Amino acid sequence: MASAASAPPTSTAPSKLPRIVAASLIGTTIEWYDFFLYGSAAALVFNKLFFPDSDPLVGTLLSFLTYAVGFAARPIGALVFGHYGDRLGRKKLLVLSLLLMGGATCAIGLLPTHATVGSAAPVLLTLLRLVQGFALGGEWGGAVLLVSEHGDARRRGFWASWPQTGAPAGQLLATGVLSALTAWLSDDAFQSWGWRVPFLLSGLLVLIGLWIRLSVDESPVFKDALARAEARKAEADASADLAEKLPLVAVLRHHWRDVLVAMGARMAENISYYVITAFVLVYATSDHVGLGKQTALNAVLIASAVHFAVIPAWGALSDRIGRRPVYLLGAAGVGAWAFPFFALIDTRDFGALLLAVTVGLVFHGAMYAPQAAFFSEMFATRMRYSGASMGAQFASVAAGAPAPLIATALLADYDSSAPIALYVIAAALLTLVAVGAAKETRERDLAGIDPSSAPLPEATPRNASEPGTAPRSV
C-alpha cells in the first residue's frame, strides 16, 4: 500500500478544469491589460504629459524607457514569486500578483502630470511601473502552471495555451478602451483626463479576478510534490532540504540548460510581439507613414482578436505534432514576415496595415501557444515555478524591454524600417537555434520530473508502469 507521500497526484475532475482555466485566464487578462495599457499610453500620450520639454521623438523614447523599466523588474518578480510559489503553492502567489498589479495601475490613473508636480511626475510613474513589472514577473509562471498541473496530459498544450490568450485579451481590452476613448473624446479631453479612465477601470477588473481566482484549488501535482518533500525532510536528507528551501539553487544545478533554452525561445516571441503591437503605434503614426492614431489602434484591436482565436488552435496542434515543430514554425514565420510587415504599412492603406499586424500575430501565436506547456514540461514540480519564470522573465529584459526603444532609435537614426526588420530577423534566428537544440517535451509526465535527490522507493515502479510517461530521473 503506497504511503501518502508516494500516492499518485489526484487528477482534476473534467468539470472543474474550465473553472481553473477561467481563473488563470481572467487573471492574466487583467495583468496584461494593465501592462499593455501602459505601453499604448506610452506611445500615445505619456511623452506629452510626463516629458513635455523633449522633442516629440525623444519624448517617445523617454516614455518607452519608463515602459522598459517594468521589464527590468520582471526577473526580480520571477525570482521572488518563483521561490515562494515553489514552497507555498501557486494559488497564494497568484492572488498577490493580481493585487499588486491592479493597485499600481489604479495609482497611475491618479498620478499628477509634469505640468502639476514637475520632475516628480516621471519619477512616480517609473516607480509604479516597477511594481507592475514585479507583479507580472510572478504572474505568468503561476498562471500557466496552475493549468498545466491540473489539466489532461494528452491535451496539455491546448489547455495551457488558454492563459496565454490573456495577452491578446488584455491587449484587446486595453486597445479597445483606448480606441473608444480616442474616438469619443477630443484630443484635448483625452490628454487632459480621458487617458486616466482605463487605468482606473483596472480596480473593478481586479475585484472580478480575485473572486474567480480565490475559488479554485491548488494543483494536485504540487500537493503531491509537497507531500514527498515532507517525506524527504523526515528522512533527514540534507541535499533535498536545501533544494526545498532554495528552489533557485536547484534550478541552476539541475536545469540550467533548460533555462537557457527558454530564454532563447523567448527572444523572437518577445521582440516580435512588442514591435508588432507597441512600436507599430509609433511607426504608423510617425511622419514616415502618417496614418492616424485611431487607424493604428483599430488595426491592433482587430488583429488582437484574431491572435486570441488562433492561440488555442496552435496549442492543440502542439499536442498532436509536438511543441518544437509549432514553435519553430512561428519563429521562422516572424523572421520571414519582417520585411513584408513594414512594406505593407508603408502603403498607408488600412487594409494593408491590418494584414501586416494580423499575419505577424498569427506567427507569434505559434510560438506563444505551446510556450506554456513547453516550459512547464522542462522543470521538476518543486522548482517549476522558479525555472519557468526565470527562463521567461530573464529573457524579457534583453528582448521585450528594449524592443520598442531599439526600434524607435533605429527609425530615428536611419529613417527606414530596414534595420528594424533585420533586428527582428536576428531574434528569429536566435530562437530557431535555441528551440532546435531543445528536446521534445510533449510526452513528459509532470509528476515524474524530479531530479532533486533520489526518488522514493515506490516512485520508480509506479511511474515506470504508467504508459506514455517519462521515467523519474535522479
Side-chain angles (χ1 to χ4, degrees), residues 26-27 29-31 33-34 37 98-99 101-107 173 177 196-213:
I26 190 69
T29 297
I30 295 167
E31 296 263 7
Y33 166 80
D34 293 347
L37 182 60
L98 193 59
L99 288 172
M101 177 66 89
T105 304
C106 285
L173 193 58
V177 172
R196 298 181 183 274
V197 174
F199 286 93
L200 296 175
L201 280 175
S202 178
L204 177 61
L205 295 175
V206 166
L207 292 177
I208 298 171
L210 284 175
W211 175 67
I212 297 175
R213 189 161 274 185

Side-chain angles (χ1 to χ4, degrees), residues 70 73-74 76-78 80-81 100 129-138:
R74 283 164 69 170
I76 302 173
V80 174
F81 279 80
L100 284 174
R129 183 61 175 172
L130 283 169
V131 176
Q132 280 191 323
F134 178 78
L136 190 60

Side-chain angles (χ1 to χ4, degrees), residues 271 335 338-339 342 406 410 416-429:
I271 288 172
F339 276 104
F342 289 106
I406 291 173
L410 289 172
S416 169
S417 62
I420 307 168
L422 291 173
Y423 170 51
V424 174
I425 291 170
L429 291 173

Side-chain angles (χ1 to χ4, degrees), residues 199-234:
F199 286 93
L200 296 175
L201 280 175
S202 178
L204 177 61
L205 295 175
V206 166
L207 292 177
I208 298 171
L210 284 175
W211 175 67
I212 297 175
R213 189 161 274 185
L214 287 169
S215 68
V216 302
D217 297 326
E218 185 57 77
S219 86
V221 172
F222 177 81
K223 289 179 180 179
D224 177 69
L226 187 61
R228 288 188 280 110
E230 294 299 326
R232 285 197 291 265
K233 288 181 182 179

Side-chain angles (χ1 to χ4, degrees), residues 20-396:
I20 293 160
V21 172
S24 291
L25 174 57
I26 190 69
T28 53
T29 297
I30 295 167
E31 296 263 7
W32 284 113
Y33 166 80
D34 293 347
F35 206 76
F36 289 141
L37 182 60
Y38 189 104
S40 297
L44 298 174
V45 295
F46 281 177
N47 58 332
K48 301 171 185 175
L49 296 173
F50 292 93
F51 307 98
D53 298 329
S54 304
D55 173 83
L57 198 55
V58 174
T60 300
L61 277 168
L62 292 173
S63 185
F64 274 140
L65 185 60
T66 63
Y67 176 71
V69 163
F71 287 85
R74 283 164 69 170
I76 302 173
L79 291 175
V80 174
F81 279 80
H83 174 81
Y84 289 102
D86 281 329
R87 296 191 67 194
L88 305 176
R90 294 37 170 137
K91 178 180 171 180
K92 296 183 180 69
L93 276 298
L94 285 174
V95 169
L96 178 60
S97 70
L98 193 59
L99 288 172
L100 284 174
M101 177 66 89
T105 304
C106 285
I108 290 174
L110 298 172
L111 273 183
T113 63
H114 188 279
T116 305
V117 296
S119 59
V123 172
L124 292 172
L125 181 67
T126 302
L127 289 174
L128 291 172
R129 183 61 175 172
L130 283 169
V131 176
Q132 280 191 323
F134 178 78
L136 190 60
E139 162 70 21
W140 180 84
V144 299
L145 294 189
L146 195 66
V147 176
S148 294
E149 294 177 345
H150 271 99
D152 176 7
R154 293 171 300 178
R155 304 184 67 198
R156 186 180 296 129
F158 171 74
W159 288 115
S161 70
W162 279 100
Q164 300 291 75
T165 64
Q171 179 78 66
L172 190 64
L173 193 58
T175 307
V177 172
L178 283 172
S179 181
L181 287 170
T182 55
W184 295 337
L185 301 175
S186 66
D187 286 344
D188 289 340
F190 181 77
Q191 188 167 319
S192 175
W193 58 269
W195 69 272
R196 298 181 183 274
V197 174
F199 286 93
L200 296 175
L201 280 175
S202 178
L204 177 61
L205 295 175
V206 166
L207 292 177
I208 298 171
L210 284 175
W211 175 67
I212 297 175
R213 189 161 274 185
L214 287 169
S215 68
V216 302
D217 297 326
E218 185 57 77
S219 86
V221 172
F222 177 81
K223 289 179 180 179
D224 177 69
L226 187 61
R228 288 188 280 110
E230 294 299 326
R232 285 197 291 265
K233 288 181 182 179
E235 295 171 2
D237 187 332
S239 63
D241 188 52
L242 178 63
E244 303 301 339
K245 288 182 178 179
L246 297 173
L248 172 61
V249 174
V251 169
L252 295 178
R253 177 183 175 187
H254 299 287
H255 288 292
W256 62 270
R257 290 183 182 86
D258 296 316
V259 171
L260 291 178
V261 166
M263 291 176 65
R266 283 275 281 171
M267 297 305 291
E269 178 267 306
N270 222 215
I271 288 172
S272 66
Y273 188 77
Y274 290 104
V275 169
I276 293 168
T277 61
F279 173 71
V280 73
L281 298 178
V282 175
Y283 185 76
T285 60
S286 67
D287 294 338
H288 187 81
V289 177
L291 290 172
K293 179 168 55 180
Q294 187 66 44
T295 300
L297 281 170
N298 287 343
V300 174
L301 184 69
I302 297 169
S304 294
V306 177
H307 194 211
F308 180 92
V310 299
I311 285 177
W314 285 124
L317 183 62
S318 78
D319 286 326
R320 296 180 64 87
I321 67 173
R323 319 298 182 211
R324 291 174 67 253
V326 177
Y327 212 115
L328 290 169
L329 173 63
V334 296
W337 190 245
F339 276 104
F341 175 80
F342 289 106
L344 286 168
I345 298 174
D346 289 342
T347 64
R348 299 178 175 82
D349 176 72
F350 174 74
L353 170 64
L354 179 59
L355 178 64
V357 178
T358 301
V359 173
L361 287 180
V362 168
F363 282 128
H364 173 269
M367 293 182 284
Y368 201 53
Q371 188 180 99
F374 189 32
F375 289 8
S376 298
E377 291 158 350
M378 290 181 183
F379 301 95
T381 302
R382 289 287 280 163
M383 56 193 81
R384 185 170 292 135
Y385 203 143
S386 296
S389 296
M390 286 170 59
Q393 304 307 337
F394 275 60
S396 68

